[in-house]
Structure formats: C-alpha cells, structure tokens
Amino acid sequence: VQLQASGGGLVQAGGSLRLSCAASGRTFGDYPMGWFRQAPGKEREFIAGISWSVGTTYYTDSVKGRFTISRDNAKNTVYLQMNSLKVEDTAVYYCAAGRWKSQVTMDVRRYVLWGQGTLVTVSS
C-alpha cells in the first residue's frame, strides 16, 4: 500500500481546505488512518484518526469542531476537511496508515505507512 496526500496550499485565516490521501492496494478498508502535522521546529503530532471498522473518529483538542476526518473505502481515500483555519495550523500535513485492523492511536510510532506530506500555510 502506498499513500499520496494532496490538497495543501495557502489560505487566509478563517478559510477552509480539504486534504485528500489516496491509497493504493486492495485492503485499504482494513487499516486505521490518521492525519498528523509537523510545524517547523516541532514534533509531528496526531490531529485526527478514523477507525478501519465503523469509521469512528478521533481528534486532538486543538482541532475539535473545526476539522473533520472521513474515509471512502470504495475510493481508497481518506479526507481531512479543515474549517476555520488559524495561523497556528500552518504545518506539513501527513496521512498515515496504522497496522492491519488495529485501533486508532495518537502514537506516531504505531503508524507503519506514511504519505509524503502536503504543506498547509495559513496567513493572517
């Protein structure tokens, strides 16, 4: 399985972007998926995850109510809808796949496959 993230760009504060992460492979639906971000000088952080089974979603507090993760298993794609963007959301955003049929976790070390990252820049 390979992951390809897209959808990043430059947006003004208060605006919206939708990130996509397309996966190759036939068993995409069996993997929990996560979105992470890494700002300059900071560690990579979990921001959202979605389970492989019933699509239960998880968010870090800083994005709750603003970001929405979803997945379309028929299209092998996971999305991150980002609304009400803030300057502090500026970062490189990565999608990642967890282990087969495992639970969503915030632990970056539990994710075994990563997309290449897409840059989101929010201007004031």
Side-chain angles (χ1 to χ4, degrees), residues 15-17 19 35 37 47-48 57-60 62-70 79-86 88-90 93 120 122:
S16 299
L17 281 175
L19 306 184
W35 282 98
R37 67 186 179 190
I47 53 172
T57 57
Y58 305 83
Y59 301 94
T60 194
S62 62
V63 308
K64 280 182 182 176
R66 301 189 298 124
F67 291 10
T68 303
I69 187 172
S70 61
Y79 304 97
L80 185 69
Q81 178 67 44
M82 305 186 294
N83 299 328
S84 302
L85 282 161
K86 304 176 181 180
E88 52 263 42
D89 293 320
T90 295
Y93 284 69
V120 172
V122 184

Side-chain angles (χ1 to χ4, degrees), residues 42-60:
K42 295 187 177 181
E43 293 185 350
R44 192 170 300 188
E45 64 169 342
F46 170 90
I47 53 172
I50 187 165
S51 69
W52 66 271
S53 53
V54 296
T56 304
T57 57
Y58 305 83
Y59 301 94
T60 194

